[in-house]
Amino acid sequence: MSSNGQQTTEIRNSIDALRLSAWMVRQPSLTKLFFDSEHIVYVQDASEQLRRNLDIRQFGFGQSNPTYLLKFSNVDRCNTDGGGEVKLVLRRKPNTIAHPSSHALHREYRVLESITKYNRQAESNEDFHKTIPIPHPYVYCKDPSVIGSEFYLMKFVEGRVFVDPRMTSISSQDRIEAFRDAIRVLVNIHNFPWRQAGLENYGGQRQGGGGGSNDGSRPTYVQRQLERLLQVTSKQSEMMKSSNATNANNEVDMPEVERTLREIARILSEHAGRVPNRLGLLHGDYKIDNLIYHPTLPKVVAVLDWELSTIGDRYCDIANLCMMYFMPEIEKGWGVAGLGDMSNKELRSLGIPSRMQLLSLYSQIDDCYNGRSTSAETSLKIIQEWSGFYLSFLFFKNCVIVHGVAQRAALGVASSKSAHRVASLLPSMVTVTYKILNELPPPSLSAISHEVNSKL
């Protein structure tokens, strides 16, 4: 099955259900889901009732923030779905985090609230085609004493999460429509009116240029990101050297990997100041397995995992989605599934757009959204010319993340048992990154002359 992203397991990270229930009955946005009155007279009785009817399961697929399904049975409210049953999703920070800025659930909740308000306004104006499908956020808890860390609750959205972008369980025609709808939703995200929504400083930096072209007066989004990523990878390298740690996998020539990463960063930095820099609401990790599709229709009903969202260069989201064309199938064990080495003909037979068709589709839908009829070719040309650069940048970003996994594995502080396996993928990822940068160079560059070191 390729749509098992909503499967749950037994709880791996425990939750105090009684304390959670006691907190929930004090939240007006939640009590109306379970009780006839928002004002609970007997709080203890109400919390015990919730606890008795609560079943907690943990989602099994790929969350860095532990995520749970809360199922409440025997609910008497007439507005419940599924005959007296209420389903909520709880997203929490891990009990211990490496850095205060990581696992930024408060950012995720903030953008969900902003999109919810925007959707209401769009619907009131009958602009239904402009809405962004998300789970409804109910309430955020900053008090770590409730369950051990900050968390928030949102509505559970029933549907299909395809962990494999090949979507092998649906028909070719449905795949065509499913990919088209994924692009339609992405265009809606990128055209979200973030200034009107009060997100001018979202991401920690004041953004200039509402539409987002690069005028050279301030660093581009990619420039700022590269600077941070270089600081991170430098720190990771220093920690490995200062501790005299050994590689998690003896086959990895870490000094050579780090040298190549620096070279890739140098090349990217040379061109990062002249990228299109089209600013918009950036999801940050837009890919097929972060979408919930309707239970039977090829329609996106919710976009998940907004933790990395920010105001940034929208072409980064397109590149993030296009990474699947350069990644192996799920069976190869990279952790995130790709489309493998399928030819355009094979993709077409399955109803999956080629990478160029996907870029063209995005350009067409974006031009239609904005009422543009004459700039379609120009818009598409810009996307195509810079597509290799953005892909290289996104792969480089993921290389830095995996480099961090390798560093923690070498120091013996990795949080996952699969850390050593993940670390062993780093040379392959670096090679793919360098290859893309060489074969799909930025405009005005005929090719990158540097050779990929055979040791990788």
Side-chain angles (χ1 to χ4, degrees):
M1 289 290 289
S2 64
S3 57
N4 60 356
Q6 285 194 324
Q7 286 186 350
T8 58
T9 67
E10 296 294 331
I11 297 175
R12 304 183 300 279
N13 307 93
S14 64
I15 284 182
D16 188 326
L18 186 57
R19 288 181 65 85
L20 174 62
S21 300
W23 178 84
M24 289 179 65
V25 299
R26 292 178 170 85
Q27 311 306 314
S29 60
L30 296 176
T31 54
K32 60 185 179 183
L33 297 175
F34 305 101
F35 306 104
D36 290 326
S37 173
E38 293 182 15
H39 304 286
I40 307 300
V41 178
Y42 301 105
V43 173
Q44 185 173 350
D45 290 347
S47 62
E48 289 177 355
Q49 179 184 342
L50 276 190
R51 173 63 189 91
R52 285 195 303 270
N53 297 327
L54 171 60
D55 177 55
I56 305 178
R57 301 276 294 177
Q58 189 164 354
F59 287 100
F61 178 68
Q63 291 87 9
S64 60
N65 296 295
T67 306
Y68 305 81
L69 174 62
L70 311 183
K71 186 186 299 184
F72 298 88
S73 57
N74 301 320
V75 178
D76 295 329
R77 293 285 294 168
C78 60
N79 63 347
T80 58
D81 299 325
E85 185 175 81
V86 171
K87 292 181 180 179
L88 301 176
V89 172
L90 184 151
R91 289 261 287 171
R92 67 181 293 184
K93 291 185 178 183
N95 288 341
T96 57
I97 58 177
H99 191 275
S101 64
S102 60
H103 306 280
L105 281 189
H106 59 289
R107 291 170 46 75
E108 181 169 289
Y109 189 79
R110 179 186 175 189
V111 78
L112 289 176
E113 277 192 314
S114 295
I115 293 173
T116 298
K117 293 176 183 176
Y118 165 75
N119 284 344
R120 289 198 193 105
Q121 183 177 358
E123 289 168 359
S124 68
N125 296 332
E126 298 188 356
D127 289 330
F128 301 103
H129 64 289
K130 294 185 177 181
T131 59
I132 301 169
I134 57 169
H136 178 80
Y138 284 113
V139 63
Y140 192 93
C141 178
K142 296 181 180 179
D143 183 0
S145 70
V146 178
I147 63 170
S149 61
E150 294 182 25
F151 68 94
Y152 75 88
L153 291 167
M154 61 183 168
K155 184 177 181 180
F156 172 74
V157 178
E158 201 81 50
R160 298 170 292 174
V161 177
F162 296 99
V163 300
D164 186 341
R166 293 173 296 181
M167 304 183 194
T168 56
S169 61
I170 64 176
S171 68
S172 296
Q173 184 58 44
D174 275 358
R175 282 191 209 99
I176 293 173
E177 296 301 323
F179 273 97
R180 182 176 183 83
D181 206 54
I183 296 300
R184 178 191 66 82
V185 170
L186 183 59
V187 167
N188 285 4
I189 292 172
H190 290 168
N191 284 282
F192 174 77
W194 49 276
R195 285 186 177 278
Q196 295 92 311
L199 297 180
E200 301 98 317
N201 299 322
Y202 189 60
Q205 298 233 14
R206 292 194 64 83
Q207 305 286 349
S213 60
N214 181 29
D215 60 7
S217 62
R218 55 178 59 85
T220 66
Y221 171 78
V222 175
Q223 280 180 307
R224 297 195 306 272
Q225 287 288 301
L226 277 171
E227 182 180 353
R228 292 172 187 166
L229 290 169
L230 283 169
Q231 291 172 355
V232 169
T233 191
S234 176
K235 184 66 175 178
Q236 289 170 174
S237 298
E238 289 175 9
M239 291 178 69
M240 292 182 74
K241 292 174 183 176
S242 63
S243 65
N244 295 317
T246 57
N247 287 331
N249 189 316
N250 291 329
E251 296 179 2
V252 177
D253 185 346
M254 193 59 70
E256 185 60 30
V257 166
E258 292 174 348
R259 185 200 67 77
T260 309
L261 279 175
R262 289 192 296 272
E263 178 64 7
I264 292 171
R266 183 191 65 77
I267 297 169
L268 291 172
S269 297
E270 286 180 357
H271 305 280
R274 60 186 188 90
V275 296
N277 200 42
R278 290 195 63 194
L279 296 182
L281 177 60
L282 191 70
H283 178 271
D285 194 20
Y286 198 84
K287 57 188 194 299
I288 296 300
D289 62 32
N290 272 332
L291 307 177
I292 300 180
Y293 281 88
H294 185 278
T296 58
L297 302 175
K299 179 179 176 60
V300 177
V301 293
V303 181
L304 305 175
D305 202 357
W306 292 81
E307 180 189 350
L308 299 177
S309 62
T310 189
I311 303 304
D313 191 332
R314 61 173 67 183
Y315 290 166
C316 289
D317 269 345
I318 305 173
N320 197 83
L321 182 60
C322 286
M323 287 175 70
M324 62 184 174
Y325 294 103
F326 298 86
M327 299 179 71
E329 301 92 335
I330 195 169
E331 296 84 2
K332 298 292 178 64
W334 270 34
V336 178
L339 294 170
D341 299 321
M342 284 193 287
S343 65
N344 287 345
K345 182 178 180 180
E346 290 173 312
L347 292 171
R348 186 166 57 250
S349 69
L350 294 173
I352 299 173
S354 67
R355 186 174 68 88
M356 284 302 176
Q357 287 173 332
L358 188 146
L359 297 178
S360 178
L361 185 59
Y362 176 90
S363 178
Q364 292 169 14
I365 296 177
D366 187 51
D367 283 323
C368 181
Y369 184 105
N370 290 286
R372 296 189 294 259
S373 58
T374 59
S375 64
E377 289 186 9
T378 302
S379 174
L380 178 58
K381 182 180 179 182
I382 292 172
I383 295 174
Q384 290 175 336
E385 283 182 340
W386 284 96
S387 64
F389 175 88
Y390 283 101
L391 271 166
S392 302
F393 167 65
L394 264 295
F395 267 102
F396 173 75
K397 184 176 181 179
N398 280 271
C399 285
V400 173
I401 293 172
V402 175
H403 182 255
V405 174
Q407 172 250 322
R408 291 188 294 276
L411 296 176
V413 294
S415 60
S416 171
K417 292 181 179 178
S418 62
H420 292 290
R421 180 186 61 79
V422 173
S424 70
L425 299 173
L426 185 56
S428 299
M429 294 180 66
V430 171
T431 299
V432 169
T433 306
Y434 214 122
K435 183 179 180 182
I436 294 171
L437 196 53
N438 183 59
E439 296 181 354
L440 300 171
S444 80
L445 231 66
S446 58
I448 310 267
S449 60
H450 305 286
E451 182 179 356
V452 180
N453 195 298
S454 60
K455 293 182 180 179
L456 296 180

